[in-house]
Amino acid sequence: MALDPNRRSRTYELVLLGAATVVTGTSLALVEWAQEQRITLDLAKYVVAFIVLYGAAHYAVRRFAPYADPIILPVVAMLNGLGLVLIHRLDLGNEHAENGRVTLTQEANQQVLWTLLGLAVLVAVLALLRDHRTLSKYAYTIGLAGVAFLALPALLPSSLSEINGSKNWIKTPLFNIQPSEISKILLIIFTAAFLVSKRDLFTSAGRRVLGIDLPRARDLAPLLLVWVVALGVLGYANDLGTPLLIFFTVLAMVYIATERIGWIVVGLSLAVVGAVAAYQLFPHLRVRIEVWRDPFAAYETIGYQPAQALFSLATGGLAGTGLGSGRPTMVPFASTDFIMAAVGEELGLIGLAAVLMLFLVLISRGYRASLTVRDSFGKLLAAGLASTMAIQLFVVVGGVTKLIPLTGLTTPFMSYGGSSLLTNYALIAILLRISNAAREPKVARKPGAPVPDRPTEIVKRA
């Protein structure tokens, strides 16, 4: 007897999670053998935690989203596992002084705790959000909350909000929170709902220039508002990554909603104008541009970090030095902003390409959910969530490889840190919910059902 399709999908998911566990456990063993020539109890601790946490997540998906895409959670597990491996490897090479004693850092233990909390967020979202369309009912409240989270660090004194020169944190005695990560998801939800409800506003064509239908001037207000907010964050929070991520995610969503190249032309023009204005107005941006142009000119000071990242990638070459056999600790903040440099050094170009392929698979599954879900809000929301992951990945890798200036964004699921993990697991939970709605069998339409609740159907001409 053939298995029910949703049961078969969950079986595939479980098998792939088992493969991710094997890869993570083997990688941890290779790191410990290369560093200490022996296998310690840390290996069993991390592997058991990995099995328990993702076993619980698999059960939650099976229980609350049985038709969800079976590829998404295993890919996230693989990325999270590789990130844990690299953070543990950096712990074995990093030392810090405390009360006169020199000990190794313990970021991997904390990352396991953040993973626990992140997966708890994933389960909570799946359990509480039974229909993604519910989010559209609270769009303006969600959008206001997103702006509030974005502005809050700028309103706090530097002693409570500034870390490493960026004023985009909220510091507490126990942990630090980066509210812009939360804003990212909230603003995507608001933008999706707004674009769906105001579709006519964005699809109206204005003047035709060089064969391109540009939008009308009076319809540019929403995009101009996002542009002003992005410049404000860049100026007051000394944060380049968040403005780039927010502006280009919204621009991508506008293009997906309208399919008009004119919005891309206008958006890129605004980006160029904003970049020139910001370069003239904000000294910290000029410093980043100078470091980007020639990090070796100020190697002893502000250029040390990007220069060491380039050395690290060059050392890795094609096949890498091997897990545990490189020197990624030479790169400052290797476990957060520059974890891709550690990947490039110890796994080489081949390993880095494999990691990027995992991200591309995850992003493509997000776009697939967008294409197959039946309601317009779900389509745009899934596309926005997938787009923000793609843009963030480009910005992170571009900064590490000197393609674009450094931005301070972290690599989703791999970098050390709580704010990023928690919000990205919430993002994945929403994607799972949308993919579940897209893949579940069609329910017979009830007579008299409201038009927005009716599924869209493809009608073929006879």
Side-chain angles (χ1 to χ4, degrees), residues 240-301:
L240 178 59
T242 300
L244 283 176
L245 188 60
I246 291 175
F247 180 78
F248 283 104
T249 298
V250 172
L251 181 59
M253 294 177 71
V254 171
Y255 173 70
I256 292 169
T258 63
E259 299 182 4
R260 293 187 182 276
I261 196 67
W263 283 102
I264 297 293
V265 173
V266 172
L268 293 179
S269 301
L270 287 174
V272 171
V273 172
V276 173
Y279 183 82
Q280 300 296 328
L281 294 174
F282 309 133
H284 56 267
L285 181 60
R286 289 197 292 273
V287 171
R288 293 200 181 196
I289 297 297
E290 291 170 6
V291 171
W292 169 59
R293 292 177 59 188
D294 188 3
F296 300 100
Y299 177 77
E300 299 295 334
T301 54

Side-chain angles (χ1 to χ4, degrees), residues 24-243:
T24 300
T26 303
S27 300
L28 284 168
L30 290 173
V31 164
E32 295 204 342
W33 182 259
Q35 284 288 298
E36 302 184 3
Q37 302 299 310
R38 61 189 178 90
I39 306 300
T40 67
L41 290 177
D42 282 338
L43 174 62
K45 175 179 65 178
Y46 294 135
V47 173
V48 169
F50 195 87
I51 293 173
V52 171
L53 292 178
Y54 280 98
H58 167 73
Y59 175 79
V61 174
R62 184 182 288 268
R63 171 69 176 82
F64 299 114
Y67 298 98
D69 193 323
I71 305 297
I72 292 177
L73 186 62
V75 171
V76 170
M78 182 71 79
L79 292 171
N80 199 351
L82 289 175
L84 180 64
V85 168
L86 291 169
I87 293 169
H88 178 56
R89 184 264 171 274
L90 292 166
D91 279 344
L92 296 177
N94 279 332
E95 297 180 345
H96 74 289
E98 185 175 353
N99 298 327
R101 299 176 58 186
V102 177
T103 58
L104 297 176
T105 58
Q106 298 294 323
E107 288 185 344
N109 292 336
Q110 298 174 43
Q111 187 74 348
V112 171
L113 177 59
W114 285 120
T115 301
L116 167 64
L117 296 176
L119 288 171
V121 169
L122 181 143
V123 172
V125 172
L126 287 177
L128 298 175
L129 183 65
R130 308 311 290 264
D131 188 343
H132 62 273
R133 293 173 297 181
T134 306
L135 296 172
S136 64
K137 298 179 181 179
Y138 308 99
Y140 286 92
T141 302
I142 290 173
L144 182 61
V147 174
F149 276 114
L150 196 61
L152 186 57
L155 302 177
L156 295 175
S158 298
S159 59
L160 298 177
S161 61
E162 185 173 337
I163 296 179
N164 298 324
S166 294
K167 201 172 183 294
N168 58 353
W169 295 83
I170 297 178
K171 296 193 285 187
T172 70
L174 298 178
F175 52 85
N176 301 322
I177 302 173
Q178 195 169 9
S180 60
E181 290 283 349
I182 304 173
S183 296
K184 173 180 70 177
I185 296 181
L186 297 180
L187 293 176
I188 290 173
I189 295 171
F190 167 75
T191 303
F194 182 80
L195 289 175
V196 169
S197 64
K198 305 292 184 182
R199 184 188 302 271
D200 294 340
L201 179 72
F202 290 88
T203 55
S204 300
R207 185 175 303 226
R208 190 173 182 84
V209 179
L210 300 177
I212 298 174
D213 292 324
L214 298 178
R216 297 176 302 184
R218 63 177 178 272
D219 297 336
L220 291 175
L223 190 61
L224 287 172
L225 179 60
V226 174
W227 181 71
V228 170
V229 169
L231 284 179
V233 173
L234 175 61
Y236 291 101
N238 193 12
D239 180 9
L240 178 59
T242 300

